[in-house]
Amino acid sequence: MKNLLALTFAAQLCVLWPSVSHGVDFATYEQQFPLKGKKNFRAALEEGEALLTQSTLTAQQRTFVLHRTALHLVRLGEYERAQHRLDALATHLNAHPDDSMQGKYHWVNGDLAFRLGHNQSAQTHFLKASEFFSRTQDWRMLSHAYRMAANAVAKGSPDLNAIEHIALAKHYAELDNNIPLHNAAFDTEARIYKLFGQLDRALESRQAQLNWLQQQSVPDEAMLSATYYGLADIFVDFGDHQAALDAFTQSYRYDEQVNDRLYMAQNQIRIAEQYLQLSNLTAADKAYEQAKVLSESIDHKRNLGWAIAGLGRVELAKGNYPQAANLIGQGLTLINPVHNQLLHSQHLVWYARALSHKNPELAIEQLMPFFKAEPTNTMVEAAKVLAFAYQQQQDFASALHYQTQATELLEQQTEQSRLTRLEAKKRDAELHLETLKVNQLQSGLDEQKRQNKLQSVTLAAAIIVLLNFFLMFYLYHLKKRKVMEKETAVLNQALTLKQQLLADVSHELRTPLTVLKLNIEALQHNLITDPDATYTLMQSRLSMLNTLIADIYELAQADTHSLQLDLQTRPAKALFDELLSAIQPLIEQNDLTLNAQNTLPDSLDITCDINRMHQIFNNLARNSCHYSNKPGQVSVTIAQQDEQLECHFEDSSPGVSDEDLPRLTERLYRCDKSRSRDLGGSGLGLSICQKLTELHQGHLSLSHSSLGGLRVTLTLPLTARAPSGD
């Protein structure tokens, strides 16, 4: 009864619709839709409504107009009228069946459900539409349907079906030779992988999309710009701000070619944000100014506010707090808190941070109504700002409360991210297994080959699980140590170290794991012409991972005081002669000359773990080999200083900068990251040397060498030998 009343009401609307377009011809109305470019949906809707009042329309023509007007109503956001029109179309199709229009009916119904947030209903309609489009072999609409089904699945919850739908969307877009649809499928694929927490796969998807676009006969600048922008967003999530900067810059160049000032301004803002992360304040300020000028030229309030607030962030980084608060506050007034909620929230936190230095009371007043104990980046930063503001007011209890909340929210966020990644990897493995079964049926692979590939996948999964275990083991001990620290300043420092270690370990593991993954997939699909060479490369990468894991584990033992020394008392001079002899072949193999001088008297003993002393010397020698220009030299001088032994380990140029020198014993810190990684270094050698020296009650210090390189000084306690009696 309700449907009947709705149809009657819709028919009355059609009759009462303004008659300005009543003279429209159906053929003219039909011809305008295949044309590319933006359409005036309101004008098209009026024409369609006028046509529906005409009794001369055939059943097929009426089906077409009912479908098109329903689509226009959805596009215009008139969802209730759109549902009435779809009900009328369903009734009409029952009387006049048409497979193609049945598919389009379900497609528009799915689009409406998707916009209303009814994701399960949207998925059902899109998949139903795909059944009808399959019958009519409408590849274009099939690609549309599967892509939208993927969007509906992903928007509801992470599900493997979303990836399967995207693969079909790309397949049918290729069959239709439809470049925009194929590109849209790539966009959706990367976005879904990013939503699932699979950044490596999202990155691969964007790079594949970029290669595909560049291979087109006439590459589309707008598509290339959007792809580089998406690529940059993934690099931001990885924490690789230099790579993100390069990608945003490339996106800007394509926007500049088509003079798209809206996206030119947005790219300049994102470029400025990367410069801020890289501490290049001059370049960041220049980029924000350029974004401001571009936004003013097109009167785009959101981007203008974003750019002005960005200039405030630059001033905040410089320590100009009143100026920073003024600029960020100006920007906030231009950013709509409803339409741009996340952007507004982020800059509200920046605004409060600027205020907290000079006016902590106002900062607290701004943030308190906004703050929620939710594990998001914005709320973590808000908690930190509140902690600082209360500290400025000498309210240390409240400061500690919010600093503790910041730590707890960050831990919750990290745990959620870890669980999401594990679940995504599990589903990804399941998807691979399903694909493997399909490939077996299609290609007729024998059982043995399938087993080999399955073992390769299992090996990769085992490696990932093992790495996660050791990483969690190390982080557990680090967290346990941090919990014991009570003061606010120490908590801030510990939290920073934890974040840096997570980012560095993730960065160190990503490259060898990506190489292993790509080679395993190549072996799976029989794409490797020289398997032995591939296995050798994989073994090399595994050795690098084992070295890194062993070093991390050893440092973890030292941190938790579970690393025990096997102490022995030996004549100091003889022991250090032995240590020098052990490192000489390594140094000479690397085209370096060893100049050693041991002036210790024979009457001195030293109590130490001999194996650990060999480890210290070996690490120092390898460090010199990695970072000294060839040919070069290494100088080792060992002498007594009061009741201590001093060992100076020096190498030749190029050495390190004043900025890098105090950070060399930080874990995973390298001056030349790519070079040391290629040589097999873990970035933990000097950290391990420092720990082992401290366990021997000694001290390790770093300075510039007169040879042009680095000087490492080891100070260890000595024991005078009692004179022997006659």
Side-chain angles (χ1 to χ4, degrees), residues 184-336:
F186 268 119
D187 280 334
T188 305
E189 180 182 51
R191 186 171 64 254
I192 289 173
Y193 275 132
K194 194 166 181 283
L195 180 65
F196 287 3
Q198 293 179 308
L199 295 182
D200 284 340
R201 281 190 168 270
L203 183 61
E204 289 172 12
S205 179
R206 284 296 184 190
Q207 289 171 334
Q209 180 183 14
L210 190 58
N211 293 335
W212 176 79
L213 282 172
Q214 291 171 340
Q215 289 170 4
Q216 303 306 313
S217 56
V218 183
D220 186 284
E221 288 89 351
M223 292 181 187
L224 284 166
S225 170
T227 304
Y228 271 110
Y229 192 94
L231 194 64
D233 260 339
I234 297 170
F235 284 132
V236 170
D237 288 343
F238 270 128
D240 193 341
H241 297 290
Q242 183 59 55
L245 173 62
D246 295 339
F248 280 128
T249 302
Q250 190 61 46
S251 177
Y252 173 82
R253 289 170 184 158
Y254 282 114
D255 289 334
E256 195 174 28
Q257 289 179 21
V258 296
N259 195 31
D260 191 333
R261 296 191 177 187
L262 171 62
Y263 290 110
M264 286 169 65
Q266 190 159 321
N267 264 311
Q268 281 297 327
I269 291 171
R270 300 303 301 276
I271 287 169
E273 289 175 345
Q274 306 320 303
Y275 277 127
L276 271 179
Q277 292 291 336
L278 295 168
S279 300
N280 190 339
L281 301 185
T282 302
D285 189 79
K286 182 179 178 182
Y288 277 128
E289 283 288 355
Q290 190 170 351
K292 179 172 175 260
V293 171
L294 287 166
S295 300
E296 286 175 335
S297 70
I298 59 174
D299 193 26
H300 195 282
K301 288 187 177 181
R302 184 203 67 181
N303 284 356
L304 179 59
W306 197 354
I308 293 173
L311 290 169
R313 288 182 59 187
V314 174
E315 295 302 319
L316 181 60
K318 292 178 180 178
N320 300 330
Y321 304 120
Q323 179 69 1
N326 181 46
L327 287 169
I328 299 174
Q330 287 181 38
L332 271 174
T333 63
L334 298 173
I335 300 173
N336 190 306

Side-chain angles (χ1 to χ4, degrees), residues 185-482:
F186 268 119
D187 280 334
T188 305
E189 180 182 51
R191 186 171 64 254
I192 289 173
Y193 275 132
K194 194 166 181 283
L195 180 65
F196 287 3
Q198 293 179 308
L199 295 182
D200 284 340
R201 281 190 168 270
L203 183 61
E204 289 172 12
S205 179
R206 284 296 184 190
Q207 289 171 334
Q209 180 183 14
L210 190 58
N211 293 335
W212 176 79
L213 282 172
Q214 291 171 340
Q215 289 170 4
Q216 303 306 313
S217 56
V218 183
D220 186 284
E221 288 89 351
M223 292 181 187
L224 284 166
S225 170
T227 304
Y228 271 110
Y229 192 94
L231 194 64
D233 260 339
I234 297 170
F235 284 132
V236 170
D237 288 343
F238 270 128
D240 193 341
H241 297 290
Q242 183 59 55
L245 173 62
D246 295 339
F248 280 128
T249 302
Q250 190 61 46
S251 177
Y252 173 82
R253 289 170 184 158
Y254 282 114
D255 289 334
E256 195 174 28
Q257 289 179 21
V258 296
N259 195 31
D260 191 333
R261 296 191 177 187
L262 171 62
Y263 290 110
M264 286 169 65
Q266 190 159 321
N267 264 311
Q268 281 297 327
I269 291 171
R270 300 303 301 276
I271 287 169
E273 289 175 345
Q274 306 320 303
Y275 277 127
L276 271 179
Q277 292 291 336
L278 295 168
S279 300
N280 190 339
L281 301 185
T282 302
D285 189 79
K286 182 179 178 182
Y288 277 128
E289 283 288 355
Q290 190 170 351
K292 179 172 175 260
V293 171
L294 287 166
S295 300
E296 286 175 335
S297 70
I298 59 174
D299 193 26
H300 195 282
K301 288 187 177 181
R302 184 203 67 181
N303 284 356
L304 179 59
W306 197 354
I308 293 173
L311 290 169
R313 288 182 59 187
V314 174
E315 295 302 319
L316 181 60
K318 292 178 180 178
N320 300 330
Y321 304 120
Q323 179 69 1
N326 181 46
L327 287 169
I328 299 174
Q330 287 181 38
L332 271 174
T333 63
L334 298 173
I335 300 173
N336 190 306
V338 177
H339 298 149
N340 303 284
Q341 184 177 4
L342 178 60
L343 188 65
H344 188 275
S345 300
Q346 291 170 340
H347 284 85
L348 179 61
V349 174
W350 287 109
Y351 179 55
R353 175 169 291 181
L355 289 172
S356 65
H357 290 272
K358 299 294 182 181
N359 193 344
E361 183 178 356
L362 182 56
I364 294 169
E365 181 183 332
Q366 291 289 326
L367 272 190
M368 283 300 293
F370 162 76
F371 179 74
K372 298 177 182 177
E374 299 173 348
T376 64
N377 290 334
T378 303
M379 290 306 166
V380 170
E381 292 303 316
K384 291 181 182 178
V385 172
L386 286 170
F388 179 77
Y390 277 116
Q391 184 179 354
Q392 291 289 91
Q393 289 189 323
Q394 305 295 311
D395 186 349
F396 296 113
S398 297
L400 182 59
H401 168 72
Y402 281 103
Q403 184 58 48
T404 303
Q405 277 211 319
T407 303
E408 292 173 351
L409 291 175
L410 183 61
E411 289 172 354
Q412 293 174 24
Q413 190 180 22
T414 302
E415 180 64 14
Q416 286 180 1
S417 177
R418 185 186 69 83
L419 292 175
T420 299
R421 287 196 302 272
L422 288 176
E423 185 64 23
K425 289 181 183 297
K426 174 186 173 184
R427 287 174 174 159
D428 188 45
E430 292 171 356
L431 177 59
H432 275 294
L433 291 175
E434 290 299 320
T435 304
L436 197 62
K437 293 175 184 177
V438 173
N439 289 341
Q440 179 189 4
L441 293 173
Q442 292 178 342
S443 62
L445 294 174
D446 59 15
E447 183 67 13
Q448 184 60 44
K449 185 178 291 186
R450 189 187 70 82
Q451 288 295 332
N452 289 341
K453 291 183 178 180
L454 187 59
Q455 288 172 5
S456 298
V457 174
T458 305
L459 176 61
I463 292 171
I464 293 171
V465 171
L466 184 62
L467 289 172
N468 284 334
F469 169 78
F470 281 117
L471 182 58
M472 288 187 292
F473 179 82
Y474 178 74
L475 293 177
Y476 167 77
H477 286 282
L478 186 62
K479 175 185 173 183
K480 184 177 179 181
R481 178 163 51 91
K482 288 177 181 176

Side-chain angles (χ1 to χ4, degrees), residues 11-66:
Q12 291 173 345
L13 281 177
C14 293
V15 173
L16 296 174
W17 201 265
S19 59
V20 293
S21 301
H22 280 200
V24 68
D25 177 68
F26 175 79
T28 304
Y29 177 78
E30 184 182 31
Q31 288 173 1
Q32 64 181 295
F33 295 108
L35 300 178
K36 294 182 179 180
K38 296 182 178 179
K39 304 179 181 67
N40 186 333
F41 290 114
R42 179 62 65 185
L45 175 63
E46 292 178 3
E47 293 177 2
E49 297 282 5
L51 281 171
L52 289 175
T53 65
Q54 299 179 12
S55 59
T56 57
L57 288 180
T58 67
Q60 185 177 7
Q61 290 173 340
R62 187 168 295 278
T63 303
F64 182 89
V65 179
L66 284 170

